[in-house]
Amino acid sequence: MSMKWVMRAKEKGAKVIHVDPRYTRTSKISDKYVQIRPGTDIAFLNAIVQYILENDLYDKTFIISHTNAMYKTNKNFEFNEGVFSGYSDEERKYNTDFWAYELDAEGKPVKADSLDDPQTVFSGLKDFYKRYTMEVSSGITGIPVETIKEVADMVVNNRPGTIMYALGMTQHTVGVQNIRAFGVLQLLLGNIGRPGTGINALRGEPNVQGSTDFALLFNYLPGYLSYPNHNKPKLENWTASYGSFRAKFLIHLLKAWFGDEATAENDFCYGLLPKKNANENYSIYRIFETAMEKKMKFLYIMGQNPMVSSPNLSVVHEGLSGLDTLVVADLFMTETASFWEKPGCDPSTIDTEVFFLPAASFLEKEGSLSNSSRMVQWRYTGIDPVGEAKSDLDMIDLLFNKIRDLYKDSSEAKDEIIKKLSWNYPTEKKAEAVLREINGYNLKTGELLNGIGEIQADGSTAGGNWLYAGVYAGNENLSKRKDNKTDPSGLGLFPGFAWSWPGNMRVLYNRASCDVNGVPYDDEKKLIWWDEQTKKWMGYDVPDVPVATDGPDTPNGQKPFRMNGEGVGRLIANSYSDPDYVNQTARDASSVPADGPLPEFYEPVESPTSNVLHPKVQINPCLKYPRIESKQPIGTKEEFPYVLCTSSISEHWCAGTVTRNVPWLNELVKETYIEIPEKLATKLNVKNGEKVKVRSARGEIEVKTMVTHRLQTLNINNEEVTVVWMPYNWGFKGLSTAASTNLLTIDAGDPNTWIQETKACLVDVQKV
Ligand SMILES: Nc1nc2c(c(=O)[nH]1)N[C@H]1C(S)=C(S)[C@@H](COP(=O)(O)OP(=O)(O)OC[C@H]3O[C@@H](n4cnc5c(=O)[nH]c(N)nc54)[C@H](O)[C@@H]3O)O[C@H]1N2
Ligand SMILES: Nc1nc2c(c(=O)[nH]1)N[C@H]1C(S)=C(S)[C@@H](COP(=O)(O)OP(=O)(O)OC[C@H]3O[C@@H](n4cnc5c(=O)[nH]c(N)nc54)[C@H](O)[C@@H]3O)O[C@H]1N2
Ligand SMILES: [Mo]
């Protein structure tokens, strides 16, 4: 879907650079293809940043006006031997308060008079990046020095420029810092908030954006409000940490969940929410590990097939075997639902009781989906669910009503949450009723809210997600809009097509498309501007400013990054929150990366080389792995000499549950395989189609070989390094079955997001 727009930009003269360890269809249409060792993007990007800093190629006006470049850092801020200040060896953790500004008597950051002041963020940046010469970067990444320079010149000379990324950047133990590296680069180039700029996360699964908006992750409530932990037993504790700006949205949410039961006197039922242990990780990896440790009895899985898609599958299998009860709601009998049938497994040794619930597919139900650009779009029912299948919404509704029945006579405190929950959905048009609840109501008038501005902190409004306030206008469901003709901007904003949060804004940080006076940098491509006559921010897009009537001569008029306490983009990340601003937008502590204020290069957990920048700090110092020593062995390069990279393929979808049941897709790609470069094929004496055994510290499988030019051996720190590649779409069920690649992969995860390092682990390959 997104390549269509890349191709259109290319037709208009855009240059396309593709950075990937493997030559793909994207490489083929690019102007410059860059072959990189998996897991080394920070070393590559930092060399480009260093080149820009060294040669004064940054956008000086932009960084002075819209970033913290001129702010003075606290004198304690430093970086030594691979770690930043604030690091605790024992806890493998940073105290992020160390990454602070120098503050004046009122608690405001002190700004220097010039960028060159030795104490500015900008000078700190220059110091930090110095080590990233092209030569160092080339040794780490395997990219020739000339190529790095060529790419650096291309990004500098082709502004505005945008970055698109997905799994190649995220599935690493430095996933968040990979994206921080983009952040620093784009801020320096003035490539944020203006048309044709930005950093675009391409969402994968349909509605991944919606899933995270609605707290599919364990550390958030809907709308990215921090999930309460045991240090915050009362609403006031939560508010002290996250600010009253966000507390307002939490109260609004609690009112939607608990209705009349939620009152100011009882903390709006905040006390009923289960509190997570602040020191625990509740990611999907811990779910299976906890089950394996027999600390979890019951698991309900809907729309996921972890027995194929999760890394280190032995742990998943042992986890599922440790449960009392497993419920799987899916379109097909998946590897997860039938984990006890795994080849080589004796079902008589497994006590787990499994229930399978047939689910209706997307064609058989209606509802909204949110895509990469935060756009909420309505989808309609094609046909009614077939056979006994039900939509997930109907299943959950039936289940909850039944559960509430079972608890109605309970007097136990822990069951209060079930008894007090406000849950009453109609049988007809249920999805619409849910979206209305999400949009939110004014409880006094009973009317739907028109926007975030109407949300109240006193419990007089209720809504399921503050970000979605305004998806209805009056009674109109704006996610159903289809106007793809009207676009006064000429920039492709189409404000009448569906609806995007917040408030139908299309380009976040669009205030940064104007100079300090509120005048667009590019008069031909205007997004928003300050209108002197009406004394308002106006534009083709919804202005991303704190207050629409606070002009450029007010502090609010200079806050293009308004969710940060200081209102500007952070070149060096910082835990600052403005004391005066607290009542409006207090910072959320989680917005500072846990593993550093700047992107430093660390090797993947399993690496073919040592960290040349700081041999003593080989990997991300905040990583805690293995979590369970006996189940998470780490392979060495001596035993496992090749780097394994894994992805999906165009012809199949993720775990393959649906696509491996479609005969014509199986005809296109009928089985799993390993791609190896020609040089390795010669060394192993294997030919195309012959079988090899692929072995990691965690598992071993046999697959056919595909010998390819797409992969080439790389020169890494003066040694030859070979990257091999496998798709992960297979399992033991469906019409096309094969061994799962994830039996081999590593379940080490990024310390911020816990995404697994499935793009880089070590394997050995032998001919069978
Ligand atoms: N047909 C089809 N479409 C799909 C899917 C599908 O299964 N089938 N899946 C959907 C889903 S859920 C998602 S998340 C998206 C994923 O979409 P993508 O992110 O495009 O998926 P991948 O192919 O896993 O990874 C992208 C590229 O990153 C490269 N790469 C690996 N390691 C590195 C690295 O360290 N650095 C760099 N620079 N590149 C690296 C890989 O070689 C790969 O070509 O696709 C979605 N679209
Ligand atoms: N090694 C390696 N592993 C990876 C990746 C990688 O690049 N390398 N990529 C990762 C990524 S990005 C992702 S997103 C995951 C994907 O991992 P999964 O989410 O496990 O993969 P899917 O195949 O999308 O599984 C979706 C399941 O939902 C079912 N389903 C479809 N529609 C519905 C519905 O409406 N209701 C219900 N109840 N079920 C439905 C499908 O039949 C299928 O079984 O895999 C990850 N795993
Ligand atoms: Mo994904």
Side-chain angles (χ1 to χ4, degrees):
M1 292 302 290
S2 43
M3 271 327 269
K4 163 168 100 179
W5 306 107
V6 175
M7 295 308 287
R8 223 179 265 188
K10 209 173 130 74
E11 280 164 19
K12 291 185 175 178
K15 293 268 179 283
V16 179
I17 302 164
H18 184 227
V19 185
D20 198 304
R22 177 169 169 261
Y23 188 92
T24 67
R25 290 170 224 193
T26 305
S27 322
K28 178 135 175 37
I29 65 95
S30 66
D31 296 280
K32 184 73 200 167
Y33 166 63
V34 181
Q35 195 149 39
I36 189 171
R37 169 164 70 99
T40 64
D41 292 80
I42 291 175
F44 169 62
L45 293 164
N46 284 11
I48 296 176
V49 167
Q50 165 56 15
Y51 178 80
I52 289 169
L53 290 171
E54 197 181 6
N55 298 295
D56 293 343
L57 300 169
Y58 45 86
D59 185 334
K60 195 168 173 185
T61 318
F62 187 95
I63 64 167
I64 291 176
S65 335
H66 299 323
T67 77
N68 63 2
M70 291 275 265
Y71 289 53
K72 287 189 170 187
T73 53
N74 178 312
K75 292 214 170 71
N76 297 331
F77 179 78
E78 42 182 55
F79 177 79
N80 265 324
E81 306 243 350
V83 291
F84 297 89
S85 36
Y87 183 69
S88 151
D89 242 332
E90 213 165 286
E91 294 180 82
R92 291 186 79 76
K93 210 172 152 179
Y94 283 107
N95 174 354
T96 57
D97 291 342
F98 272 74
W99 316 330
Y101 298 126
E102 184 179 313
L103 302 178
D104 65 15
E106 274 130 44
K108 304 272 182 180
V110 178
K111 280 201 214 176
D113 298 326
S114 112
L115 278 178
D116 303 326
D117 182 304
Q119 219 188 309
T120 56
V121 161
F122 191 67
S123 295
L125 204 67
K126 280 185 147 174
D127 271 355
F128 178 82
Y129 279 89
K130 249 188 224 136
R131 295 165 298 134
Y132 288 95
T133 61
M134 300 254 172
E135 290 70 27
V136 165
S137 171
S138 173
I140 295 171
T141 59
I143 307 167
V145 166
E146 314 78 72
T147 307
I148 303 174
K149 181 164 181 309
E150 198 184 330
V151 172
D153 285 327
M154 277 174 90
V155 297
V156 167
N157 297 329
N158 289 278
R159 283 184 259 183
T162 193
I163 292 173
M164 294 161 65
Y165 75 91
L167 308 181
M169 295 299 280
T170 57
Q171 291 180 345
H172 296 285
T173 45
V174 292
V176 165
Q177 296 295 344
N178 267 339
I179 313 310
R180 273 286 295 153
F182 283 154
V184 175
L185 176 68
Q186 290 293 63
L187 283 173
L188 285 175
L189 293 172
N191 271 338
I192 302 271
R194 294 150 94 159
T197 66
I199 304 164
N200 306 284
L202 300 184
R203 302 306 210 147
E205 296 272 352
N207 211 24
V208 162
Q209 181 68 49
S211 308
T212 50
D213 293 349
F214 287 90
L216 200 75
L217 302 171
F218 70 88
N219 36 359
Y220 292 110
L221 293 167
Y224 306 93
L225 302 171
S226 286
Y227 195 88
N229 66 45
H230 75 281
N231 295 322
K232 300 178 175 56
K234 293 214 162 95
L235 184 56
E236 65 185 39
N237 311 121
W238 193 95
T239 309
S241 289
Y242 307 118
S244 44
F245 177 72
R246 287 186 167 85
K248 177 166 74 180
F249 302 140
L250 178 58
I251 292 165
H252 178 70
L253 175 67
L254 289 168
K255 280 300 289 181
W257 282 355
F258 297 105
D260 291 341
E261 295 284 351
T263 63
E265 292 69 45
N266 69 9
D267 251 8
F268 299 101
C269 293
Y270 173 88
L272 295 182
L273 298 179
K275 307 293 176 293
K276 74 182 172 88
N277 181 330
N279 308 317
E280 282 283 334
N281 154 8
Y282 296 83
S283 70
I284 180 171
Y285 312 106
R286 284 301 300 154
I287 288 179
F288 296 114
E289 290 163 12
T290 311
M292 189 170 80
E293 292 159 353
K294 292 266 182 194
K295 290 185 211 146
M296 183 185 289
K297 291 186 172 172
F298 175 86
L299 186 57
Y300 186 119
I301 298 179
M302 57 200 294
Q304 194 178 9
N305 189 3
M307 256 312 287
V308 173
S309 58
S310 270
N312 197 1
L313 283 177
S314 313
V315 173
V316 178
H317 191 263
E318 240 185 277
L320 295 172
S321 311
L323 293 166
D324 286 358
T325 311
L326 170 69
V327 179
V328 175
D330 205 292
L331 315 183
F332 290 91
M333 195 59 90
T334 63
E335 284 81 356
T336 302
S338 37
F339 71 94
W340 43 276
E341 284 180 13
K342 182 185 129 170
C345 161
D346 175 5
S348 71
T349 61
I350 298 175
D351 292 332
T352 316
E353 185 175 13
V354 183
F355 293 87
F356 182 79
L357 305 176
S361 88
F362 70 93
L363 295 165
E364 300 165 319
K365 59 193 179 192
E366 64 171 1
S368 75
L369 257 105
S370 306
N371 73 12
S372 299
S373 45
R374 312 173 317 285
M375 189 184 279
V376 190
Q377 296 182 64
W378 195 259
R379 301 236 300 227
Y380 299 85
T381 310
I383 53 164
D384 287 333
V386 172
E388 290 187 307
K390 288 197 187 326
S391 77
D392 297 292
L393 184 55
D394 280 337
M395 280 193 246
I396 294 290
D397 192 28
L398 281 169
L399 257 176
F400 185 77
N401 284 320
K402 185 75 191 166
I403 289 169
R404 185 164 51 187
D405 256 9
L406 294 171
Y407 279 98
K408 69 176 185 299
D409 300 324
S410 164
S411 52
E412 285 193 59
K414 70 175 173 58
D415 300 335
E416 288 277 283
I417 185 170
I418 289 167
K419 291 166 64 181
K420 290 197 168 149
L421 206 65
S422 155
W423 188 292
N424 201 352
Y425 300 101
T427 356
E428 293 292 312
K429 303 214 164 180
K430 198 174 284 174
E432 284 254 18
V434 172
L435 191 62
R436 283 163 180 270
E437 181 181 4
I438 288 167
N439 176 86
Y441 291 96
N442 178 324
L443 297 173
K444 287 186 187 142
T445 63
E447 302 206 337
L448 287 159
L449 299 182
N450 291 303
I452 297 171
E454 294 179 12
I455 295 174
Q456 299 299 325
D458 62 0
S460 63
T461 62
N465 191 330
W466 65 283
L467 291 170
Y468 283 66
V471 63
Y472 276 84
N475 251 329
E476 187 191 355
N477 178 348
L478 300 184
S479 76
K480 292 182 173 174
R481 293 188 300 176
K482 287 280 177 234
D483 179 0
N484 59 0
K485 302 274 186 310
T486 318
D487 180 30
S489 70
L491 296 170
L493 301 178
F494 299 101
F497 188 86
W499 181 87
S500 52
W501 66 256
N504 208 29
M505 189 183 294
R506 299 296 156 113
V507 179
L508 288 178
Y509 316 116
N510 57 31
R511 164 67 185 88
S513 68
C514 300
D515 65 14
V516 282
N517 301 316
V519 178
Y521 286 117
D522 185 345
D523 197 45
E524 309 245 294
K525 297 193 179 103
K526 289 197 283 200
L527 280 174
I528 66 147
W529 54 89
W530 171 254
D531 187 65
E532 241 337 287
Q533 290 204 308
T534 52
K535 299 275 174 209
K536 263 175 106 170
W537 288 96
M538 319 227 321
Y540 297 121
D541 197 4
V542 177
D544 192 354
V545 294
V547 181
T549 49
D550 285 356
D553 53 350
T554 70
N556 273 340
Q558 302 296 343
K559 292 198 160 98
F561 297 82
R562 59 181 157 133
M563 296 303 272
N564 289 345
E566 67 280 46
V568 293
R570 290 170 174 169
L571 287 165
I572 300 184
N574 198 286
S575 58
Y576 177 74
S577 75
D578 186 328
D580 292 343
Y581 211 50
V582 147
N583 291 334
Q584 282 186 54
T585 53
R587 109 196 123 80
D588 181 333
S590 60
S591 66
V592 185
D595 52 353
L598 280 169
E600 174 64 3
F601 168 74
Y602 301 102
E603 286 288 339
V605 173
E606 288 186 339
S607 155
T609 186
S610 45
N611 192 321
V612 289
L613 292 166
H614 24 71
K616 284 194 203 129
V617 189
Q618 166 86 358
I619 62 165
N620 187 336
C622 294
L623 187 75
K624 292 171 190 148
Y625 189 85
R627 296 174 295 268
I628 301 176
E629 206 115 352
S630 60
K631 305 288 172 193
Q632 292 160 333
I634 298 175
T636 60
K637 63 175 181 176
E638 288 72 28
E639 198 179 347
F640 303 100
Y642 312 118
V643 177
L644 173 69
C645 183
T646 64
S647 317
S648 193
I649 52 173
S650 301
E651 296 77 2
H652 282 284
W653 186 271
C654 294
T657 317
V658 176
T659 52
R660 283 188 285 109
N661 280 308
V662 178
W664 47 94
L665 291 176
N666 288 335
E667 249 180 83
L668 285 173
V669 180
K670 63 177 180 190
E671 62 187 309
T672 191
Y673 53 95
I674 183 169
E675 283 190 14
I676 64 172
E678 281 183 315
K679 210 163 171 183
L680 182 61
T682 311
K683 182 177 159 197
L684 300 177
N685 190 26
V686 285
K687 287 193 204 62
N688 224 4
E690 285 183 346
K691 278 210 158 172
V692 289
K693 187 191 289 177
V694 190
R695 196 168 64 88
S696 78
R698 294 154 295 277
E700 171 181 315
I701 63 179
E702 271 184 29
V703 290
K704 278 191 186 162
T705 315
M706 183 186 287
V707 183
T708 180
H709 297 290
R710 283 193 276 263
L711 296 160
Q712 299 284 333
T713 49
L714 299 170
N715 177 3
I716 304 297
N717 299 327
N718 299 319
E719 281 182 66
E720 194 170 90
V721 166
T722 301
V723 181
V724 297
W725 178 91
M726 291 177 77
Y728 74 93
N729 314 84
W730 273 267
F732 55 85
K733 297 290 283 188
L735 299 181
S736 165
T737 61
S740 296
T741 296
N742 276 324
L743 284 161
L744 307 170
T745 51
I746 191 163
D747 47 357
D750 176 278
N752 300 278
T753 60
W754 310 104
I755 290 186
Q756 75 282 356
E757 201 155 58
T758 24
K759 293 290 186 247
C761 68
L762 292 180
V763 293
D764 187 27
V765 184
Q766 298 288 341
K767 187 174 177 171
V768 277

